Amino acid sequence: MKFVKALGALAVIGAMSLSGAAYAQEKIKIGVSYPTPTHAWAAGMNWHAEAAAERLEALYPDIDIILVNSPDPSAQASALEDLVSVNQIDALVILPFESEPLTDPVLNVKKSGAFITVVDRGLSQPGIEDIYVAGNNPELGRVSAEYMKTRLKSGDNIVILRGIPTVIDTERFDAFMAEIEGSGINVLDHKHANWNRDDGFEVMQDFLSRFPDIDAVWAQDDDIAIGVVAALKQAGRDGDGMFVVGGAGMKETIKGIMDGETLIPIDVLYPPAMLATAMDVTVAKFKSNGPVAGRYILGATVITKENAESFYFPDSPF
Amino acid sequence: MSDSAPSGESKTRMPHFDIKIMGPAIALVLLCILGYVLNPAFVSEGNITNLLTRSSFIGIIAVGATFVITAGGIDLSVGSMAAVIAGIMIIVMNSAVGTFGTGVTTVLIGAGCSVILGLGAGWINGFLTTKGKIEAFIVTLGTMGIYRSLVTYFADGGTLSLDFAIRGTYRPIYYDSFAGLPVPVWMFILVSAVGWILLNRTAFGRYCMAIGSNEAVAKYSAINVDRIKTMTYVIQGLCVSLATIIYVPRLGSASSSTGVLWELEAIAAVIIGGTVLKGGYGRVGGTILGALILTTIGNILNFTDLISNYLNGTMQGLIIIIAVWLQRGEWGRSKRIKKAE
């Protein structure tokens, strides 16, 4: 009996709070859903998103941003249902865990009338999202190769350390190879180092034992690059104009570039702030006088000593 | 006690012809020949040193796992345990810099902290399996998840980095050599030697095998089963902490991707080495070869572009299965019986 009473009480409270929510309906509610960060880049993304939420809510008192992260695709689908039924969101910013399993859940959110912004990973059906914000993987590969071409001449040798075998890695790699083709630069070999420092260290050690003449390394990622640099220093082959190009925009790497590090002279950005950018654009939809829609593809900016300062966030975990 | 491990008995009688004993060694020699044929640089001094140093992480952990598995247990938490110990070590050392400076004291504090954590984490696994009466698989699956998420939490989802000021003091532990061999290799040799003596020349080792082959009989033989089993997990924890002490100075960082799948590599090394997964018979010598085989496979795959990168897992799987088949296959047994006649 007690239990039933408690349930009844809960229901009453629930109804009251729901009607309370209805009164406060003038507030524009934006739900932001993304995977729980499990690696450094995602932790940086989380940090930027939290900072953006704070800044936007301070700027616009009538904007309410709800950040939800989920550990797996089905949890993210449930989180979307809650955002619609409990929070009654007006707009959704989502970085989907995986495209396939989240396409239908996002479609359901759209049916509730919410404005949809999809980040980084596209859905498997076109036309659901109002805004698409993403980094540019092929461009990251192409820009890296372009830099290699400015530093190396025909006949020079490079090795490549790739990420985890996924579409992201393949897009970056293919674009790099397409750009390097015809330059006369030899790609000695490419192995997967799984965007991981330890694997970067071990793969690079083996490349160094195997190839006596390496002029540059494309590590594709800043974590791999850290392992590569440790291996180069161990083998004493970090001199002679040797250089490593990573990618992503880790704060330690950017700090090194600011300080004039020659071993990692540049970095290619895969912006960890992309979720924050998407939130800005989504808020602009409600606040801007201009129309906001379409695809926002963020550039794979080359970070050099000159512009490094504007990409350096010492408080971010990444 | 030795009656409970008859297969071990028969092995020691004719070590020279026993394919079961020689299996891992043969597999390693074949791998090395393959490596040399693919690329002569494989046998360069630099590469051999790299290989041995790299093997020492998994090797040291696997020596501990030999005890756990011999006594009929399993520990899935070692990879996560290494990650969380590395993370806490880094946090402790970074905060000790202010008080104790960047000298040896801080590194010793870090190492001491690692040993305490290792012993403690091992004891928790042991206590929950014996006194808690939960299957080792479940206990260590649970602690595996706990430790992994703790390191993610401590690192705020990112990476914990050792203060650059201490790196200079701590770096030699991984990168320096003593009498021609890198320090981690010496540590591996030391752990292996102590492990071998403990398993083969002490009552504790015989108790482990007895418990692994038949726990009930061991109990009736007045062996303190719970205590011995807990001890195996404590030894495992100590081995993890020693491996972590030599791991941290390599890159000076720990993140949620540290030590991923080390548990499976350690278990694979133990089984390749001839220890029986269901317990009762263990070989530290084999475990060492198993760890070397696993590292050599990865090394050889990096030395050739004959095989597609996407098939690395296939090659590793095949070689592991072949290495175990060399010592378990029926053909080996029939040959042995003939020779015995």
Side-chain angles (χ1 to χ4, degrees):
Chain A
M1 268 317 272
K2 258 189 186 164
F3 179 64
V4 173
K5 260 188 197 164
L7 265 186
L10 267 181
V12 171
I13 294 167
M16 278 162 71
S17 61
L18 269 183
S19 57
Y23 284 128
Q25 196 58 61
E26 295 96 74
K27 264 206 167 188
I28 300 161
K29 294 192 170 183
I30 300 174
V32 181
S33 166
Y34 53 101
T36 306
T38 50
H39 57 275
W41 183 86
M45 181 193 75
N46 182 48
W47 181 84
H48 281 287
E50 281 172 2
E54 215 166 284
R55 172 173 52 81
L56 289 167
E57 282 180 347
L59 192 61
Y60 305 109
D62 60 336
I63 295 261
D64 183 13
I65 294 176
I66 305 132
L67 296 173
V68 188
N69 62 55
S70 318
D72 57 72
S74 65
Q76 192 173 24
S78 315
L80 292 187
E81 285 168 9
D82 291 348
L83 282 172
V84 171
S85 61
V86 179
N87 301 102
Q88 299 177 321
I89 51 171
D90 303 292
L92 172 72
V93 178
I94 179 169
L95 199 162
F97 230 106
E98 283 168 35
S99 304
E100 291 290 335
L102 283 152
T103 298
D104 268 342
V106 174
L107 194 59
N108 287 337
V109 179
K110 185 166 180 75
K111 280 179 190 153
S112 79
F115 182 84
I116 307 286
T117 303
V118 172
V119 186
D120 204 28
R121 243 155 283 175
L123 299 172
S124 42
Q125 263 180 49
I128 298 174
E129 71 271 13
D130 298 288
I131 296 177
Y132 179 64
V133 177
N136 196 334
N137 284 308
E139 185 68 4
L140 184 141
R142 199 191 63 77
V143 168
S144 306
E146 213 171 56
Y147 179 77
M148 290 276 177
K149 289 203 292 190
T150 64
R151 288 279 306 263
L152 301 171
K153 53 186 189 302
S154 179
D156 281 348
N157 298 321
I158 60 169
V159 290
I160 300 176
L161 290 92
R162 302 176 60 172
I164 296 171
T166 49
V167 179
I168 299 171
D169 173 69
T170 311
E171 282 182 355
R172 291 177 179 182
F173 177 74
D174 289 348
F176 182 93
M177 295 304 276
E179 180 68 26
I180 215 88
E181 207 183 287
S183 65
I185 297 170
N186 303 319
V187 176
L188 295 173
D189 199 5
H190 54 92
K191 293 283 176 205
H192 289 280
N194 307 318
W195 294 315
N196 175 314
R197 294 179 185 193
D198 289 307
D199 291 353
F201 180 77
E202 293 183 0
V203 172
M204 194 61 213
Q205 273 190 331
D206 291 345
F207 277 155
L208 288 170
S209 309
R210 187 175 155 198
F211 303 114
D213 179 23
I214 300 172
D215 299 295
V217 183
W218 184 42
Q220 204 211 76
D221 171 78
D222 293 335
D223 270 314
I224 298 180
I226 286 177
V228 168
V229 167
L232 286 172
K233 287 191 171 154
Q234 183 198 23
R237 282 168 68 173
D238 49 341
D240 297 339
M242 162 72 91
F243 66 94
V244 183
V245 176
M250 182 188 289
K251 64 175 177 183
E252 287 86 358
T253 311
I254 294 176
K255 183 79 175 49
I257 294 165
M258 282 162 72
D259 296 345
E261 174 68 56
T262 52
L263 206 49
I264 304 185
I266 62 150
D267 200 12
V268 183
L269 189 69
Y270 193 75
M274 64 171 68
L275 192 56
T277 309
M279 287 158 66
D280 275 322
V281 176
T282 308
V283 168
K285 144 81 187 155
F286 296 96
K287 295 293 177 188
S288 167
N289 59 331
V292 176
R295 297 166 64 81
Y296 294 72
I297 307 301
L298 308 175
T301 317
V302 177
I303 301 171
T304 59
K305 200 171 181 215
E306 284 68 43
N307 66 359
E309 194 125 19
S310 53
F311 298 99
Y312 182 56
F313 301 96
D315 298 333
S316 164
F318 184 68
Chain B
M1 223 56 63
S2 53
D3 289 346
S4 57
S7 58
E9 186 95 333
S10 71
K11 267 184 205 87
T12 48
R13 267 184 209 149
M14 29 168 213
H16 292 295
F17 299 101
D18 198 326
I19 193 86
K20 284 197 178 187
I21 293 274
M22 298 310 285
I26 294 170
L28 184 59
V29 170
L30 288 178
L31 268 178
C32 289
I33 294 171
L34 176 70
Y36 179 74
V37 170
L38 285 173
N39 193 333
F42 174 78
V43 293
S44 65
E45 193 199 331
N47 190 52
I48 298 293
T49 318
N50 286 345
L51 239 173
L52 290 173
T53 318
R54 230 179 266 175
S55 310
S56 36
F57 302 133
I58 294 301
I60 291 173
I61 294 175
V63 169
T66 310
F67 285 91
V68 173
I69 294 174
T70 302
I74 192 102
D75 192 343
L76 299 176
S77 69
V78 292
S80 309
M81 197 193 286
V84 80
I85 292 177
I88 297 176
M89 263 179 91
I90 289 171
I91 295 172
V92 167
M93 282 192 283
N94 284 351
S95 50
V97 171
T99 336
F100 299 99
T102 59
V104 183
T105 324
T106 308
V107 174
L108 284 178
I109 290 173
C113 153
S114 164
V115 170
I116 292 167
L117 286 169
L119 293 174
W123 183 81
I124 291 172
N125 281 340
F127 179 80
L128 289 175
T129 22
T130 54
K131 300 290 179 201
K133 304 216 183 301
I134 312 169
E135 285 84 347
F137 191 95
I138 298 303
V139 169
T140 57
L141 188 67
T143 47
M144 168 171 119
I146 294 169
Y147 298 148
R148 178 68 59 202
S149 79
L150 279 180
V151 72
T152 314
Y153 173 76
F154 291 142
D156 202 5
T159 306
L160 288 160
S161 293
L162 189 61
D163 198 318
F164 275 90
I166 326 172
R167 288 195 192 195
T169 320
Y170 199 179
R171 216 180 112 86
I173 299 286
Y174 183 84
Y175 289 99
D176 272 16
S177 292
F178 173 74
L181 282 178
V183 180
V185 180
W186 282 112
M187 181 91 105
F188 184 19
I189 293 172
L190 186 74
V191 169
S192 307
V194 173
W196 190 86
I197 293 169
L198 203 55
L199 190 64
N200 297 303
R201 291 284 179 271
T202 66
F204 173 76
R206 289 194 296 279
Y207 291 162
C208 287
M209 296 202 195
I211 293 169
S213 33
N214 193 326
E215 202 174 315
V217 172
K219 198 171 270 168
Y220 293 134
S221 315
I223 296 174
N224 189 340
V225 172
D226 284 357
R227 203 173 66 95
I228 299 289
K229 279 177 83 178
T230 308
M231 276 302 293
T232 62
Y233 289 97
V234 172
I235 290 172
Q236 173 74 88
L238 180 65
C239 287
V240 171
S241 79
L242 293 176
T244 311
I245 290 171
I246 54 171
Y247 168 80
V248 170
R250 178 160 91 172
L251 296 172
S253 62
S255 70
S256 54
S257 65
T258 299
V260 169
L261 294 184
W262 280 9
E263 58 281 347
L264 291 187
E265 285 189 38
I267 293 167
V270 171
I271 304 309
I272 291 173
T275 299
V276 181
L277 184 56
K278 62 178 190 286
Y281 175 65
R283 292 185 55 213
V284 171
T287 298
I288 298 161
L289 292 172
L292 289 172
I293 288 173
L294 281 180
T295 330
T296 310
I297 300 170
N299 183 248
I300 289 177
L301 288 171
N302 281 343
F303 263 80
T304 174
D305 45 13
L306 286 177
I307 299 154
S308 161
N309 285 331
Y310 302 124
L311 290 176
N312 277 5
T314 309
M315 294 311 296
Q316 282 165 339
L318 277 176
I319 293 170
I320 290 172
I321 291 172
I322 291 170
V324 176
W325 180 64
L326 267 177
Q327 42 185 317
R328 304 270 168 87
E330 278 301 317
W331 61 275
R333 179 166 302 176
S334 61
K335 211 169 167 184
R336 203 181 51 150
I337 289 166
K338 265 181 208 154
K339 270 180 184 144
E341 282 162 359

